[in-house]
PDB file of all heavy atoms in Angstrom:
ATOM      1  N   THR X 895     -31.285  19.918  -1.502  1.00  0.00           N
ATOM      2  CA  THR X 895     -30.201  20.788  -1.984  1.00  0.00           C
ATOM      3  C   THR X 895     -28.858  20.091  -1.822  1.00  0.00           C
ATOM      4  O   THR X 895     -28.018  20.108  -2.726  1.00  0.00           O
ATOM      5  CB  THR X 895     -30.155  22.093  -1.157  1.00  0.00           C
ATOM      6  OG1 THR X 895     -31.483  22.487  -0.861  1.00  0.00           O
ATOM      7  CG2 THR X 895     -29.445  23.193  -1.889  1.00  0.00           C
ATOM      8  N   ILE X 896     -28.652  19.472  -0.657  1.00  0.00           N
ATOM      9  CA  ILE X 896     -27.369  18.832  -0.378  1.00  0.00           C
ATOM     10  C   ILE X 896     -27.188  17.600  -1.252  1.00  0.00           C
ATOM     11  O   ILE X 896     -26.105  17.349  -1.786  1.00  0.00           O
ATOM     12  CB  ILE X 896     -27.265  18.452   1.124  1.00  0.00           C
ATOM     13  CG1 ILE X 896     -27.412  19.708   1.995  1.00  0.00           C
ATOM     14  CG2 ILE X 896     -25.937  17.760   1.414  1.00  0.00           C
ATOM     15  CD1 ILE X 896     -26.356  20.764   1.743  1.00  0.00           C
ATOM     16  N   TRP X 897     -28.254  16.819  -1.446  1.00  0.00           N
ATOM     17  CA  TRP X 897     -28.172  15.665  -2.351  1.00  0.00           C
ATOM     18  C   TRP X 897     -27.774  16.130  -3.757  1.00  0.00           C
ATOM     19  O   TRP X 897     -26.940  15.511  -4.424  1.00  0.00           O
ATOM     20  CB  TRP X 897     -29.518  14.938  -2.411  1.00  0.00           C
ATOM     21  CG  TRP X 897     -29.679  13.911  -1.340  1.00  0.00           C
ATOM     22  CD1 TRP X 897     -30.508  13.974  -0.249  1.00  0.00           C
ATOM     23  CD2 TRP X 897     -29.001  12.648  -1.243  1.00  0.00           C
ATOM     24  NE1 TRP X 897     -30.376  12.841   0.513  1.00  0.00           N
ATOM     25  CE2 TRP X 897     -29.464  12.001  -0.074  1.00  0.00           C
ATOM     26  CE3 TRP X 897     -28.051  12.000  -2.032  1.00  0.00           C
ATOM     27  CZ2 TRP X 897     -29.015  10.737   0.324  1.00  0.00           C
ATOM     28  CZ3 TRP X 897     -27.604  10.745  -1.641  1.00  0.00           C
ATOM     29  CH2 TRP X 897     -28.076  10.127  -0.472  1.00  0.00           C
ATOM     30  N   ALA X 898     -28.394  17.222  -4.211  1.00  0.00           N
ATOM     31  CA  ALA X 898     -28.101  17.729  -5.560  1.00  0.00           C
ATOM     32  C   ALA X 898     -26.638  18.156  -5.662  1.00  0.00           C
ATOM     33  O   ALA X 898     -25.956  17.857  -6.650  1.00  0.00           O
ATOM     34  CB  ALA X 898     -29.021  18.898  -5.892  1.00  0.00           C
ATOM     35  N   MET X 899     -26.126  18.849  -4.620  1.00  0.00           N
ATOM     36  CA  MET X 899     -24.716  19.269  -4.625  1.00  0.00           C
ATOM     37  C   MET X 899     -23.785  18.052  -4.616  1.00  0.00           C
ATOM     38  O   MET X 899     -22.727  18.048  -5.241  1.00  0.00           O
ATOM     39  CB  MET X 899     -24.403  20.131  -3.388  1.00  0.00           C
ATOM     40  CG  MET X 899     -25.214  21.387  -3.259  1.00  0.00           C
ATOM     41  SD  MET X 899     -24.915  22.548  -4.604  1.00  0.00           S
ATOM     42  CE  MET X 899     -25.998  23.877  -4.100  1.00  0.00           C
ATOM     43  N   PHE X 900     -24.196  17.012  -3.890  1.00  0.00           N
ATOM     44  CA  PHE X 900     -23.390  15.789  -3.799  1.00  0.00           C
ATOM     45  C   PHE X 900     -23.273  15.133  -5.176  1.00  0.00           C
ATOM     46  O   PHE X 900     -22.170  14.812  -5.643  1.00  0.00           O
ATOM     47  CB  PHE X 900     -24.041  14.829  -2.790  1.00  0.00           C
ATOM     48  CG  PHE X 900     -23.344  13.499  -2.677  1.00  0.00           C
ATOM     49  CD1 PHE X 900     -22.091  13.399  -2.075  1.00  0.00           C
ATOM     50  CD2 PHE X 900     -23.932  12.336  -3.167  1.00  0.00           C
ATOM     51  CE1 PHE X 900     -21.438  12.179  -1.972  1.00  0.00           C
ATOM     52  CE2 PHE X 900     -23.282  11.114  -3.066  1.00  0.00           C
ATOM     53  CZ  PHE X 900     -22.039  11.034  -2.467  1.00  0.00           C
ATOM     54  N   PHE X 901     -24.416  14.950  -5.850  1.00  0.00           N
ATOM     55  CA  PHE X 901     -24.390  14.321  -7.175  1.00  0.00           C
ATOM     56  C   PHE X 901     -23.640  15.198  -8.183  1.00  0.00           C
ATOM     57  O   PHE X 901     -22.935  14.694  -9.059  1.00  0.00           O
ATOM     58  CB  PHE X 901     -25.814  14.038  -7.666  1.00  0.00           C
ATOM     59  CG  PHE X 901     -26.451  12.835  -7.009  1.00  0.00           C
ATOM     60  CD1 PHE X 901     -27.694  12.928  -6.403  1.00  0.00           C
ATOM     61  CD2 PHE X 901     -25.800  11.607  -6.992  1.00  0.00           C
ATOM     62  CE1 PHE X 901     -28.275  11.819  -5.794  1.00  0.00           C
ATOM     63  CE2 PHE X 901     -26.374  10.490  -6.387  1.00  0.00           C
ATOM     64  CZ  PHE X 901     -27.619  10.596  -5.783  1.00  0.00           C
ATOM     65  N   THR X 902     -23.797  16.518  -8.058  1.00  0.00           N
ATOM     66  CA  THR X 902     -23.081  17.440  -8.941  1.00  0.00           C
ATOM     67  C   THR X 902     -21.578  17.254  -8.792  1.00  0.00           C
ATOM     68  O   THR X 902     -20.832  17.174  -9.775  1.00  0.00           O
ATOM     69  CB  THR X 902     -23.447  18.897  -8.593  1.00  0.00           C
ATOM     70  OG1 THR X 902     -24.856  19.057  -8.711  1.00  0.00           O
ATOM     71  CG2 THR X 902     -22.746  19.881  -9.514  1.00  0.00           C
ATOM     72  N   ALA X 903     -21.117  17.178  -7.533  1.00  0.00           N
ATOM     73  CA  ALA X 903     -19.684  17.027  -7.270  1.00  0.00           C
ATOM     74  C   ALA X 903     -19.170  15.696  -7.825  1.00  0.00           C
ATOM     75  O   ALA X 903     -18.088  15.627  -8.410  1.00  0.00           O
ATOM     76  CB  ALA X 903     -19.424  17.127  -5.771  1.00  0.00           C
ATOM     77  N   VAL X 904     -19.967  14.620  -7.672  1.00  0.00           N
ATOM     78  CA  VAL X 904     -19.568  13.309  -8.204  1.00  0.00           C
ATOM     79  C   VAL X 904     -19.438  13.386  -9.728  1.00  0.00           C
ATOM     80  O   VAL X 904     -18.452  12.915 -10.316  1.00  0.00           O
ATOM     81  CB  VAL X 904     -20.588  12.218  -7.789  1.00  0.00           C
ATOM     82  CG1 VAL X 904     -20.323  10.915  -8.542  1.00  0.00           C
ATOM     83  CG2 VAL X 904     -20.531  11.986  -6.283  1.00  0.00           C
TER      84      VAL X 904
END
Side-chain angles (χ1 to χ4, degrees):
T895 322
I896 301 300
W897 273 109
M899 301 296 181
F900 176 71
F901 283 127
T902 302
V904 170

